[in-house]
Amino acid sequence: MMPSYFVAHGAPLLALEDNQYTNYLKELGEALPQPKAIVLFSAHWESGVQQVGDVEEYRTIYDFGGFSEALYQIEYPAKGSSDVVQKIKEAFAQQEIPYEVDKTRGLDHEAWVVLRMIYPAADVPVVSMSVNPHLTPQQQYEIGKALAPLRKEDVLIIGSGGTVHNLGVVKLHQDNGQTDAWAVEFDDWLEEQMTKWNLESLYNYKKEAPAVDLAVPPYGNEHFIPIFYAMGAADEEKSAKLTHRSYRYGNLSHSVWQFGK
């Protein structure tokens, strides 16, 4: 059975860099067995109704600006998987989860930066999924839970985002290895709750987590919530393991969580 993962996508420049985190993601791809397909929930695809990407081949979306021209030359031409899309539709119908199929959207950098590190050949079919910031964490968890049977068919489920992701306080011109104490405090709290699978506290993170308004700003929780989709996919096992954590620019977290075994 495939585990599910929450993977931080970091800043777009990550796609051009060679550092501790990019090396970890490459090693992760080498360690994992080749999946039949990847189902990826992207923080950069927000929708009021769950969207399921069903395309023959994804175009690469450059949803950022002001970066090196080399970033805009990168392409990740992953194929889609109509077979997995059909299984997702059946799972959602069974659990009465509303959804829509999108046949035009490409892969945003939340998806392709991560996937390109783990599977650089773009040889694993992908089903891109949206996230809904207006759902409760429990509802997001239940969407992931509905897809849990796919893991038994060698489908890798990924939530791509960031546990600490606040562009209002990130220090893009200060990359000296120092990390803000509040960011570590939030991630430490998260690690304790995740490893205990303490859903009650996790669902109530906005009230219980320290420094939550800095780590998960009130105006945007879209980068944090993919963790609930990925976690829900491992509900049968309730096993969470932090496999990597580092920081850039003072507080931008690069966390990777493995759910299930």
Side-chain angles (χ1 to χ4, degrees):
M1 182 185 293
M2 276 283 178
S4 60
Y5 280 88
F6 173 82
V7 182
H9 72 90
L13 283 174
L14 197 69
L16 300 175
E17 295 175 333
D18 181 9
N19 55 42
Q20 177 188 8
Y21 186 49
T22 62
N23 289 333
Y24 170 79
L25 292 180
K26 293 171 184 175
E27 292 170 359
L28 177 62
E30 294 170 356
L32 284 172
Q34 187 87 343
K36 172 185 175 181
I38 298 167
V39 174
L40 187 143
F41 290 90
S42 170
H44 279 230
W45 189 5
E46 299 178 51
S47 66
V49 176
Q50 179 63 55
Q51 300 292 311
V52 182
D54 184 13
V55 301
E56 185 174 340
E57 181 176 311
Y58 289 95
R59 60 187 172 86
T60 305
I61 300 176
Y62 308 100
D63 51 334
F64 46 76
F67 290 96
S68 166
E69 181 61 28
L71 274 175
Y72 303 91
Q73 305 304 315
I74 296 175
E75 293 187 356
Y76 192 80
K79 306 290 186 183
S81 174
S82 58
D83 176 58
V84 173
V85 168
Q86 181 59 35
K87 293 180 185 298
I88 292 172
K89 291 163 64 176
E90 292 169 359
F92 284 166
Q94 184 177 7
Q95 298 300 320
E96 298 184 343
I97 295 171
Y99 71 91
E100 296 174 349
V101 175
D102 184 293
K103 291 184 173 292
T104 61
R105 194 177 190 277
L107 289 179
D108 53 62
H109 88 274
E110 188 98 356
W112 63 258
V113 168
V114 168
L115 294 178
R116 184 168 170 268
M117 296 288 178
I118 302 175
Y119 298 109
D123 55 353
V124 180
V126 176
V127 177
S128 183
M129 307 282 282
S130 68
V131 298
N132 185 349
H134 303 294
L135 296 178
T136 66
Q138 183 174 0
Q139 289 172 317
Q140 293 153 357
Y141 183 99
E142 292 297 326
I143 290 174
K145 183 179 176 179
L147 302 183
L150 292 176
R151 295 176 49 224
K152 298 176 182 178
E153 300 184 34
D154 295 326
V155 174
L156 176 62
I157 298 174
I158 297 176
S160 178
T163 57
V164 181
H165 191 284
N166 184 344
L167 297 184
V169 296
V170 76
K171 305 165 186 175
L172 290 176
H173 301 292
Q174 182 182 321
D175 192 19
N176 57 9
Q178 297 184 352
T179 304
D180 293 336
W182 61 263
V184 176
E185 185 181 11
F186 175 84
D187 271 339
D188 284 348
W189 177 89
L190 183 64
E191 182 176 3
E192 180 178 0
Q193 309 314 316
M194 298 280 278
T195 52
K196 293 179 180 178
W197 210 269
N198 186 350
L199 292 179
E200 182 177 354
S201 289
L202 289 167
Y203 289 165
N204 202 34
Y205 74 93
K206 290 182 180 180
K207 293 183 178 180
E208 294 192 19
V212 67
D213 285 348
L214 287 172
V216 186
Y219 55 81
N221 65 354
E222 73 287 340
H223 279 78
F224 182 67
I225 61 173
I227 206 165
F228 292 117
Y229 293 88
M231 192 177 188
D235 178 77
E236 289 185 7
E237 296 163 280
K238 294 182 174 59
S239 168
K241 179 182 179 182
L242 179 65
T243 63
H244 179 89
R245 189 169 87 181
S246 57
Y247 298 87
R248 296 288 299 279
Y249 313 119
N251 50 63
L252 183 65
S253 67
H254 288 164
S255 296
V256 177
W257 278 93
Q258 176 182 319
F259 304 111
K261 300 178 181 178

